[in-house]
Amino acid sequence: PGSEGGNRVAIRDRVRVLIDVGAGAVREEVVEATKEGGGVDVYRADGRTNVTETTRNGLARRTVTVADERVVAIIEEPDRAKEPDASQP
């Protein structure tokens, strides 16, 4: 938990947030770690969901903030290149 009393949900390499924009329409926001060693942090607090691209030093580069009631889905996608190769013993 952070100092704001929020809840850190995940750190991933790419996160897609589907946002209800009304009249049955959904908008997609994509936050992606663009530099080696960076990540994407999903943090929920005070009725808001924040998705932030961070540098390897933990500094915020880009943040998307959405009211919780507008979030339809959060899709976390880890970097497949960083996963261990299953064919290797």
Side-chain angles (χ1 to χ4, degrees):
S3 59
E4 299 172 20
N7 185 16
R8 186 177 190 172
V9 177
I11 297 178
R12 296 289 183 260
D13 297 299
R14 183 172 191 246
V15 174
R16 296 185 304 150
V17 181
L18 302 181
I19 304 164
D20 176 7
V21 293
V26 175
R27 184 181 79 215
E28 177 182 59
E29 287 284 342
V30 177
V31 180
E32 191 166 15
T34 57
K35 302 242 179 194
E36 183 64 33
V40 179
D41 186 16
V42 179
Y43 187 82
R44 300 179 82 173
D46 300 325
R48 286 180 291 237
T49 298
N50 299 297
V51 181
T52 304
E53 176 191 359
T54 57
T55 65
R56 74 186 98 207
N57 296 326
L59 300 174
R61 291 180 49 96
R62 174 178 178 239
T63 299
V64 172
T65 301
V66 182
D68 283 343
E69 63 267 8
R70 295 282 187 182
V71 175
V72 175
I74 297 173
I75 303 158
E76 303 166 355
E77 301 173 348
D79 184 356
R80 300 272 181 227
K82 292 181 184 177
E83 292 180 2
D85 186 358
S87 65
Q88 298 293 324

